[in-house]
Amino acid sequence: MQLVVARIGRAHGIKGEVTVEVRTDEPELRLAPGAVLATDPASTGPLTIATGRVHSGRLLLRFEGVSDRTGAEALRNTLLIADVDPEELPEDEDEYYDHQLIDLDVVTSDGTEVGRITEISHLPSQDLFIVERPDGSEVMIPFVEEIVAEIDLEEQKAVITPPPGLIDDRAEVASTRDAEAAEGAEGAEGAEGTESAESAKGAEGTGPAGEES
């Protein structure tokens, strides 16, 4: 199985080094000197890593046969692809390869169906599940411990505990309903005088309209 492990960025210096956007939790294994990687576009590769080092928090690679800035710039935006055994698992039990997560059913902790994972989006700050809902729409779910409570590969499901508003528009609907209720209360104040205004104020202080959404 082939997995994207990095994307080549801009050239660094004049000796053929490039910055890379790492897309693997095991760069020391996948992007080590001597590794031979397929590419997308395929015509650019395969590429063999000659050297690798970290500079200012970014991984820099140099490939065999690329010795100047011009050659490095020609590789920009190329995806680096590694061959991985489908049965291979990451060393950390809390880590997963993309192919293990694709097609998992996503449900909430109370068993409510959310949808199916169709893609993993790797952002600099975090990874996102792209989930296709039963109606064909998509929702993005951050792959963080606070939201993704469990990954069960045997049951082929991901259990989530989403905050309000992440997977539905109930918070927005409630907010709209509260606004309409407040407008109605204002209308009642004008028509019925002080007593109605005090009742409306009491409702705002104790009822749902007084809660933060």
Side-chain angles (χ1 to χ4, degrees):
M1 175 176 291
Q2 293 190 317
L3 298 178
V4 174
V5 293
R7 182 182 68 84
I8 297 176
R10 66 179 184 276
H12 178 84
I14 61 174
K15 297 183 179 180
E17 286 186 314
V18 295
T19 62
V20 294
E21 173 191 313
V22 177
R23 297 189 180 182
T24 172
D25 292 325
E26 301 173 310
E28 69 285 349
L29 174 64
R30 308 298 179 194
L31 301 173
V36 180
L37 302 168
T39 60
D40 182 6
S43 58
T44 305
L47 293 173
T48 301
I49 298 176
T51 63
R53 65 188 180 97
V54 176
H55 175 74
S56 298
R58 298 294 301 271
L59 178 62
L60 303 179
L61 297 180
R62 186 173 63 79
F63 301 98
E64 292 184 5
V66 180
S67 57
D68 57 28
R69 188 177 184 86
T70 300
E73 280 290 353
L75 298 176
R76 191 165 186 171
N77 292 324
T78 296
L79 297 178
L80 300 177
I81 303 170
D83 284 316
V84 178
D85 185 340
E87 301 301 320
E88 181 181 338
L89 298 176
E91 293 182 0
D92 191 325
E93 62 180 12
D94 292 325
E95 295 177 353
Y96 303 88
Y97 293 135
D98 286 9
H99 71 271
Q100 295 176 285
L101 301 172
I102 297 297
D103 286 334
L104 292 188
D105 292 324
V106 179
V107 299
T108 62
S109 55
D110 63 4
T112 301
E113 178 186 2
V114 178
R116 178 180 60 87
I117 299 175
T118 58
E119 182 183 347
I120 311 298
S121 179
H122 299 279
L123 303 180
S125 58
Q126 63 186 11
D127 294 336
L128 294 174
F129 291 162
I130 308 301
V131 178
E132 182 178 328
R133 305 171 75 161
D135 63 3
S137 63
E138 289 185 339
V139 61
M140 293 182 291
I141 298 176
F143 187 16
V144 294
E145 185 177 359
E146 294 80 6
I147 296 176
V148 181
E150 179 185 3
I151 298 292
D152 189 332
L153 296 180
E154 289 188 5
E155 295 292 331
Q156 285 291 286
K157 68 179 181 180
V159 180
I160 65 172
T161 54
L166 178 64
I167 61 174
D168 55 38
D169 55 3
R170 285 179 294 182
E172 181 179 345
V173 171
S175 177
T176 302
R177 186 184 303 116
D178 293 342
E180 292 173 348
E183 290 175 0
E186 291 176 0
E189 177 184 353
E192 301 178 17
T194 305
E195 182 177 352
S196 294
E198 290 175 349
S199 298
K201 181 177 181 180
E204 291 174 353
T206 59
E211 299 176 0
E212 295 183 0
S213 58

